[in-house]
Amino acid sequence: MARPTPLSGFPEWLPDGRVVEQHVLDTLRRTFELHGFAGIETRAVEPLDQLLRKGETSKEVYVLRRLQEEQAGDVAPPRGDTGAADKQLGLHFDLTVPFARYVLENAGRLAFPFKRYQIQKVWRGERPQDGRFREFVQADIDVVGAGELPYHYEVELPLVMAEALGALRDVGVPEVRILVNNRKVAEGFYRGLGLDDVEGVLRQVDKLDKIGPDAVAELLQAEQGATPEQAKACLELAAISGTDTAVVDRVRALAASYDAVTELLETGLGELAALVEAAARRAPGVVVADLKIARGLDYYTGSVYETVLVGHEQLGSICSGGRYDTLASDGKNTYPGVGLSIGVSRLVSRLLSAGLVAATRGVPTAVLVAVTDEAHRDRSDAVAAALRARGIPADVAPTAAKFGKQIKVADRRGIPFVWFPAQPGEDGATPEALAGEVKDIRSGEQAEADAATWEPPAADRFPRVVPVAAD
């Protein structure tokens, strides 16, 4: 078989990298559950019309189809299953759209407000680049209400994410800044200026970091019909940021100078002020009001969030989301929600590529049990079984080579301890005995031990993720 050609945009971590990813996932899951979020998982595919009904995503969705299309005479679908037969399916590009569908299908069996977390892979047909993949892991949290959802959840969720990411600081994850805005502020300001294509303006403002203010101003005039003065006002709003409620005063003054004060703007400013004030008390310096944050998807209706790693801002947002009021609706009932999503693969890729963190070893094994000769492999198996029964990860050497070679096997795998079983006839050992000697191959220390009682140091029982010291 020829050497396979790698596919870009589909990350596959080496074992050490997988240990790092798993630590990140475990930390996020633990924090989410501490705050009362229940875990769910949705299917990987959705009807294509559902995936395309919100946001500019048509170029990113992967379509799913059979290699051979169904022909007349094929086996009919199970009774009641008409979706696959007459709908084109696509792989989900995020977890919010499938979650909205999940809420609608299960509304009668859910208790509202419903708090959920979801950790799954998603797929997007993007051009692969640093931190951007075509297949990647996301970790989402959302709160959905029935008919209404109190504003305080728009304050709570970014602080939960800040806590989750903050819990990773001890292993070398950089500080985070959560940048927040409110769609009501932006929409109220734009409408006050006389710009009615609010979604179009938001999409252009969302490009500021990529193409710069001059290019955005040109797009606003060419595609949204803005005058030079209106485009200038949009850029001035986007330039406002801060960590306290002085931001609100600056926006209000800017709107007054353009005679663009509206009731919707004032509502949004009140909500933004509440978020900034609460964040300043509970997580000082973490949440920053940034009026250029727009979010490209059009289902957001209130607070919007983006999160950057301090010192790695060029990577872009690793966590984003916002308030949505109409994404989950069946025509009679509406289930408003607010949520955030962490791009786990983007975060892990930066941690690994920048050498910020490392795994103490790439395998779970703490002890490699040596084999004296194949005739007595069962004794090595018995020792390993006794260690595993007590929660100590153990493996048995693949061959009965010289002990020096078996130690090298452990060293190559990063296994810290090698166990040498006592053989029948050694110091009265019986075939059932679990005694032997264990060697720490890092220090060279070796001592007698019994597999029924021996314990490795707590730091060595399982792989750990540790920060990498800067040079």
Side-chain angles (χ1 to χ4, degrees):
M1 180 179 176
R3 186 181 182 89
T5 302
L7 283 176
S8 60
F10 296 85
E12 295 177 323
W13 314 123
L14 292 174
D16 288 25
R18 175 58 177 162
V19 170
V20 172
E21 181 185 51
Q22 196 61 55
H23 178 79
V24 171
L25 294 174
D26 289 344
T27 301
L28 297 178
R29 183 182 297 109
R30 185 165 54 248
T31 305
F32 298 160
E33 291 179 352
L34 284 173
H35 285 267
F37 291 84
I40 69 165
E41 182 171 310
T42 58
R43 65 197 185 207
V45 299
E46 297 292 335
L48 196 57
D49 58 351
Q50 293 299 307
L51 292 174
L52 300 182
R53 73 186 179 92
K54 289 290 184 179
E56 292 187 321
T57 58
S58 59
K59 294 181 180 180
E60 297 183 357
V61 175
Y62 281 107
V63 175
L64 192 71
R65 67 179 181 85
R66 287 174 52 181
L67 182 61
Q68 295 183 349
E69 298 293 347
E70 291 186 6
Q71 302 295 326
D74 279 359
V75 177
R79 180 177 296 178
D81 181 9
T82 61
D86 57 15
K87 290 184 179 179
Q88 194 171 21
L89 302 178
L91 293 171
H92 57 221
F93 61 86
D94 74 357
L95 298 179
T96 304
V97 172
F99 176 55
R101 187 266 311 159
Y102 176 94
V103 169
L104 291 176
E105 288 187 3
N106 296 283
R109 294 174 287 179
L110 298 175
F112 293 98
F114 177 51
K115 303 174 71 173
R116 86 83 165 84
Y117 76 86
Q118 189 171 346
I119 300 175
Q120 285 183 243
K121 285 189 175 182
V122 300
W123 295 266
R124 292 184 186 177
E126 293 189 299
R127 181 173 64 85
Q129 53 186 300
D130 182 26
R132 287 192 176 274
F133 304 105
R134 292 187 282 180
E135 176 186 74
F136 53 98
V137 177
Q138 281 193 183
D140 283 24
I141 54 172
D142 286 78
V143 181
V144 171
E148 60 180 9
L149 184 73
Y151 175 74
H152 67 78
Y153 286 114
E154 294 180 51
V155 177
E156 176 185 337
L157 262 70
L159 296 180
V160 172
M161 277 299 192
E163 182 179 326
L165 292 167
L168 293 166
R169 290 292 310 283
D170 62 341
V171 299
V173 174
E175 289 184 67
V176 299
R177 292 287 180 274
I178 300 180
L179 311 178
V180 304
N181 194 5
N182 193 295
R183 278 286 184 94
K184 295 173 185 175
V185 173
E187 181 176 352
F189 183 77
Y190 299 152
R191 292 195 183 282
L193 291 174
L195 295 171
D196 294 326
D197 184 7
V198 173
E199 292 178 2
V201 175
L202 287 168
R203 285 196 297 271
Q204 307 302 359
V205 172
D206 199 37
K207 301 173 184 176
L208 264 171
D209 288 338
K210 296 179 181 178
I211 64 177
D214 292 341
V216 168
E218 292 178 5
L219 287 172
L220 287 171
Q221 295 174 66
E223 298 187 17
Q224 273 65 53
T227 66
E229 183 180 31
Q230 289 172 326
K232 176 174 176 287
C234 292
L235 294 176
E236 288 178 353
L237 177 69
I240 296 176
S241 66
T243 58
D244 56 36
T245 54
V247 167
V248 172
D249 296 332
R250 292 169 60 191
V251 173
R252 190 172 283 119
L254 177 67
S257 70
Y258 283 97
D259 195 22
V261 177
T262 63
E263 183 178 348
L264 184 61
L265 171 68
E266 287 296 334
T267 299
L269 288 176
E271 293 179 354
L272 184 61
L275 172 54
V276 171
E277 287 177 342
R281 291 192 302 269
R282 294 171 55 180
V286 173
V287 174
V288 177
D290 189 331
L291 276 296
K292 75 174 180 296
I293 302 303
R295 301 300 304 141
L297 295 173
D298 63 10
Y299 50 63
Y300 294 119
T301 56
S303 297
V304 287
Y305 320 97
E306 291 192 356
T307 306
V308 296
L309 293 175
V310 175
H312 302 264
E313 288 82 0
Q314 74 281 5
L315 182 64
S317 179
I318 62 164
C319 174
S320 57
R323 168 78 179 235
Y324 48 89
D325 284 324
T326 59
L327 184 63
S329 176
D330 59 9
K332 295 181 179 179
N333 303 294
T334 299
Y335 302 91
V338 58
L340 286 98
S341 172
I342 295 180
V344 175
S345 298
R346 174 179 287 200
L347 173 60
V348 171
S349 72
R350 178 48 58 99
L351 297 178
L352 297 176
S353 64
L356 299 174
V357 304
T360 53
R361 60 181 188 265
V363 296
T365 311
V367 184
L368 180 72
V369 183
V371 178
T372 304
D373 56 63
E374 292 301 333
H376 294 97
R377 175 174 286 274
D378 59 337
R379 293 187 56 78
S380 299
D381 290 338
V383 169
L387 292 171
R388 294 174 193 139
R390 298 174 45 242
I392 301 171
D395 200 357
V396 179
T399 62
K402 292 181 179 180
F403 282 162
K405 290 186 176 181
Q406 296 188 56
I407 291 173
K408 287 182 179 179
V409 168
D411 187 45
R412 285 196 301 270
R413 296 181 180 177
I415 301 170
F417 296 97
V418 175
W419 189 288
F420 304 104
Q423 297 303 318
E426 293 182 7
D427 299 325
T430 66
E432 296 79 19
L434 300 176
E437 293 188 353
V438 64
K439 182 183 184 71
D440 184 333
I441 65 173
R442 300 161 298 183
S443 66
E445 295 181 1
Q446 185 167 327
E448 293 183 356
D450 189 306
T453 58
W454 178 81
E455 288 281 344
D460 291 326
R461 183 181 286 262
F462 296 105
R464 292 178 297 113
V465 175
V466 295
V468 176
D471 294 334

